[in-house]
Amino acid sequence: NVRSKTPLGLKAKEYMDKGALVPDSIVVGMVSDRIREEDAEKGFILDGFPRNINQADVLEATLEGLGKGIDRVIGMEVERKELVRRLSGRRVCRQCAENYHVIFSPPMNIGTCDKCGSEIYQRDDYKEETIEARLAVYEKETLPLVDYYSKKSLYSPVDGIGTVDQITGHIVGAIEGRSNT
């Protein structure tokens, strides 16, 4: 929406440019518009949405109005210490925006982009203190969704530790209704 400069995207960009959270009404509007598109008629996956109970309620009402519902909610479970390690290790090139990780995918030469030779750096949102603040917001606003969707028998926890193939297998198993924790 932001890239396409839709009316909702332009509103969202105003908040993003200030470093503020985009209000639920705008985020929900974007998602609502998107799930109404033709390519979503047979189903879709939402990643990172909803982020709070209000968004979940509006999503449910929107889906109900479309004659649809939620099949499964997958929760990737990873210990806080590991999340901080993963997120704080992220690096990005100042020039071409190539992504790196100090442990999982480091550049060939520390501090230099393999792709364009420019400097790589740690964005502010990848710094430990910012990550801890984001996790506190998650615990307050998003974590209650586990109980919300568990009560509806839609929540499936998935172990977020392992190789990409292992975790993918856990997710597929959860979608198919098998336990993967």
Side-chain angles (χ1 to χ4, degrees):
N1 281 273
V2 173
R3 254 188 314 239
S4 299
K5 297 183 179 177
T6 67
L8 286 173
L10 294 173
K11 285 182 184 176
K13 187 168 178 358
E14 289 176 22
Y15 289 92
M16 293 164 68
D17 287 345
K18 296 176 193 170
L21 291 175
V22 178
D24 285 352
S25 60
I26 295 172
V27 175
V28 169
M30 287 186 217
V31 172
S32 180
D33 288 349
R34 181 64 184 94
I35 64 177
R36 284 181 165 84
E37 291 183 25
E38 185 178 334
D39 65 340
E41 283 180 13
K42 293 182 180 177
F44 49 86
I45 296 172
L46 300 174
D47 180 7
F49 181 86
R51 290 183 185 255
N52 59 49
I53 300 293
N54 179 57
Q55 290 179 357
D57 287 338
V58 175
L59 174 63
E60 190 172 314
T62 300
L63 291 172
E64 191 174 295
L66 296 171
K68 298 181 179 189
I70 295 172
D71 296 321
R72 179 89 47 214
V73 174
I74 307 295
M76 300 289 289
E77 298 194 345
V78 178
E79 289 184 20
R80 184 184 194 98
K81 186 176 178 180
E82 177 64 12
L83 285 174
V84 173
R85 184 176 81 94
R86 289 180 186 182
L87 294 169
S88 65
R90 291 179 175 178
R91 301 294 186 272
V92 66
C93 175
R94 287 192 190 277
Q95 184 66 35
C96 71
E98 185 73 12
N99 288 297
Y100 296 93
H101 193 282
V102 297
I103 297 168
F104 306 117
S105 59
M108 288 187 281
N109 298 305
I110 295 173
T112 304
C113 179
D114 296 343
K115 191 173 177 182
C116 74
S118 295
E119 175 193 13
I120 62 170
Y121 74 106
Q122 183 181 37
R123 292 181 356 192
D124 287 342
D125 57 334
Y126 296 155
K127 293 186 177 171
E128 216 168 303
E129 55 275 8
T130 306
I131 294 165
E132 288 291 348
R134 286 170 51 197
L135 289 172
V137 170
Y138 168 83
E139 289 167 353
K140 181 180 178 198
E141 295 185 19
T142 307
L143 194 55
L145 289 170
V146 171
D147 189 50
Y148 179 92
Y149 285 116
S150 291
K151 287 179 179 174
K152 297 174 183 277
S153 299
L154 294 171
Y155 184 76
S156 294
V158 169
D159 186 357
I161 302 293
T163 66
V164 172
D165 288 342
Q166 289 169 329
I167 296 168
T168 300
H170 295 323
I171 293 168
V172 170
I175 291 169
E176 293 174 347
R178 298 187 312 264
S179 177
N180 291 293
T181 53

